[in-house]
Amino acid sequence: MNKVKIVVAGPRGNMGKEAVKMVSETEHFSLVAVVDSKHEGMNLSEIEGFHGIDAPVYIDMQKCFEELDVDVLIDLTAPAFGRKHMEIAFANGVRPVVGTTGFTDSDISELRAIAEEKGLGAIIAPNFAIGAILMMKFSQLAAKYLPDVEIIEQHHDRKLDAPSGTAIKTAQLISEVRAEKAQGHPNETEELQGARGADFEGMRIHSVRLPGRVAHQEVIFGGEGQTLTIRHDSINRASFMPGVKLAVESALKIDTLVYGLEHIIE
């Protein structure tokens, strides 16, 4: 079997470090380079924390793709760079697997059109944890029978966006089976603005940001005389790597852009 030639963007980030390790340890993957904001011309093995991992470091992604034969880009950088990096990947025949959030519906539609024009697979995933994907799918099933629902997501205090992409994606999936519905007392008031959380078609989404957290979410359903809570916890970032691996393998088999691993995990 030919190895899948992979470039990781953002190797020094918490997720990037885990992705570099996963690619290096996967027999049918080959880490051909990394794209970083500094260390141009160095070898990854020269950087603290990457001893023994041999891969050239590029700052310029376009240059990287021009000089190397690349199958897949794993992009785990920041929302500001996600779309730009995907466009560079498509222009060079590279299939992007992206873990950054902040894409609008318009972004996804336009990027999907490019992917299909090029005949390249691409995956954008708000969350790569398999358990989190199952939480979203189970929540969609539960919402058919228990339409009163609130979402509480918790992340580390360095996360930039709120609510999380996972919380928004969960609400979107629930909305596919649940009619828009205002929840709580019709005359309720907020003594402090925002106390009831963000409003997504009547569902409330609450964001917690604290040191010591990684990624956690609970979806709470209320019904007559009962409640149902579906919860997922990522204890460390290694929990996301089976999903990243699955996304890379899946991107090679499709010729469109898929948003969310729930469309792959059945």
Side-chain angles (χ1 to χ4, degrees), residues 9-121:
R12 291 182 294 112
N14 291 324
M15 282 283 286
K17 289 176 183 176
E18 291 293 342
V20 165
K21 179 181 177 184
M22 181 274 293
V23 172
S24 300
E25 294 177 351
T26 301
E27 185 175 356
H28 59 288
F29 288 177
S30 174
L31 182 68
V32 297
V34 298
V35 175
D36 193 17
S37 59
K38 53 184 175 181
H39 303 306
E40 171 76 21
M42 292 180 64
N43 192 286
L44 189 61
S45 61
E46 302 175 74
I47 300 173
E48 184 178 357
F50 297 101
H51 178 72
I53 301 179
D54 182 29
V57 180
Y58 286 81
I59 289 179
D60 188 329
M61 184 173 289
Q62 177 64 34
K63 179 182 177 183
C64 174
F65 291 156
E66 288 175 353
E67 294 185 355
L68 301 174
D69 183 18
V70 182
D71 297 315
V72 175
L73 166 70
I74 298 176
D75 187 280
L76 301 167
T77 53
F81 304 111
R83 174 163 181 160
K84 178 183 177 182
H85 289 173
M86 290 188 74
E87 290 174 342
I88 295 171
F90 286 141
N92 288 275
V94 176
R95 298 166 183 259
V97 169
V98 180
T100 59
T101 55
F103 289 92
T104 65
D105 290 342
S106 177
D107 287 331
I108 294 168
S109 178
E110 291 168 11
L111 289 165
R112 181 174 291 120
I114 298 172
E116 292 175 355
E117 178 188 352
K118 298 283 188 180
L120 294 169

Side-chain angles (χ1 to χ4, degrees), residues 79 101-102 151-169 197-200 205-210 217:
T101 55
I151 299 169
I152 303 173
E153 56 95 348
Q154 303 180 52
H155 283 79
H156 53 90
D157 59 346
R158 295 179 63 81
K159 185 171 177 59
L160 297 176
D161 56 322
S164 68
T166 300
I168 293 172
K169 186 64 177 178
D199 187 326
F200 187 101
I205 303 177
H206 310 268
S207 296
V208 176
R209 298 290 177 267
L210 287 171
Q217 180 171 294

